[in-house]
Amino acid sequence: MNFAVVVFVVLPMVCVAQRTPSISYITQEQIKDIGGTVELQCSVQYAKEYAVVWTKTGRDRSDSVFLSTGSSLVIKDSRFAIRHDISSSTYTLQIKDIQETDAGIYQCQVILSVVNKITADVELQVRRPPVISDNSTQSIVASEGKAVQMECYAAGYPRPTITWRRENNAILPTGGSTYTGNVLKINSVRKEDRGTYYCVADNQVSKGDRRNINLEVEFAPVITVPRPRLGQALQYDMDLECHIEAYPPPAIVCMTVKTFLFTLLYLPLNPHLNVSIAGGSTYTGNVLKINSVRKEDRGTYYCVADNQVSKGDRRNINLEVEFAPVITVPRPRLGQALQYDMDLECHIEAYPPTGHYSTLRVITIEKRQYGDFVCKAINKLGQAEAKVHLFETVIPVCPPACGQAHYGEASSVPISSVIIFLGAIAVLFS
């Protein structure tokens, strides 16, 4: 009996499946200073048969520049280098002497086909000192009471912080000496708010950047008079001073006295008066100089200023001219009958005043009262006197004697006056 032996041999079948390439590692975001060095690493797996490239794009990804393929650089820049570590399959892109333009997104790509690729991104941030943008406020002019807005923007990395302050660290209209933010807003600007404001951009890189912003506030003239009341002796010079604060600067500045107008146009024609002006963009100081003061110079002077915001602001200066008494006697010789009244008059002009007019009434004249009477006035600058002679007549003089004898008393002399009537006859004062 024949037996057949059938042997089944099972041969092992080996199937090798090709794995898909991948990027196993990419450097995290890098932040570097200008002039420094950075290395960007990209590790891949199962990509021996594929091209690995580095590219650079902007943040908006609008432009793309090829930097390397495999272990070869494409870009011709000595600052760039590419290394390929075969053992770890890592491609390292090195950038030396980093510039601000190197900032952007670097992409490691494994090219699978014309329409397919594997990518991984790393962003390089370059620290940049702040630069204030041209669209920031440079200067501004506003009317008093209006809202004002000053803006300041800056580029740089990290993002700059904007801080506001005023010249000489003056208090800001918002309160405090500093304010943080891109926009400094003043709801109702005042003339005190005018001046230089500093916009400071800082991000701890370098010294930062600063812009000076000039704020001008248009306001009506404000006049101040340091000495509203003045006194001066005869023949001495006198300065009348007023200070005017206004913006725009006052277009009309004048000094007036009584009804006569002294403008800057006519003052140089009068050698007795001259004016001097000193000032800047918002301040004017005016001095009206009176040479060798005269009596007629006394009175009220007005300092007047106009600008396009307002007209007619005015302040007064009162000038008193000091001089020794001067006495005039309207009737130095008077006659009157016995038993009638008679008024003896003298007029006094002086400053400080001693009284401007004085009358001594002699009531029911007696024989012994005829003779010389003396009117005397005294102030701190001197004294003066004048005589009135009273003589006897047969016929009564009218006035004050009109038809009958008049009995009364002497008119009063002001208490502030120093006026003395001295009779020639001693009995008059007994």
Side-chain angles (χ1 to χ4, degrees), residues 59 100 125-133 153-160 201 203 205:
R59 288 187 177 85
E100 183 177 339
Q125 295 279 7
V126 179
R127 292 189 183 95
R128 305 184 308 278
V131 177
I132 294 177
S133 307
Y153 303 98
Y157 188 84
R159 183 177 180 180
N203 65 353
V205 179

Side-chain angles (χ1 to χ4, degrees), residues 1 22 50 82 147 153 235 246 254 282 327 329 334 349 364 379:
M1 185 174 194
S22 65
Y50 299 93
I82 186 73
Y153 303 98
Q235 305 303 315
C254 59
T282 61
I327 299 177
V329 176
L334 296 170
E349 188 180 17
T364 315
N379 71 5

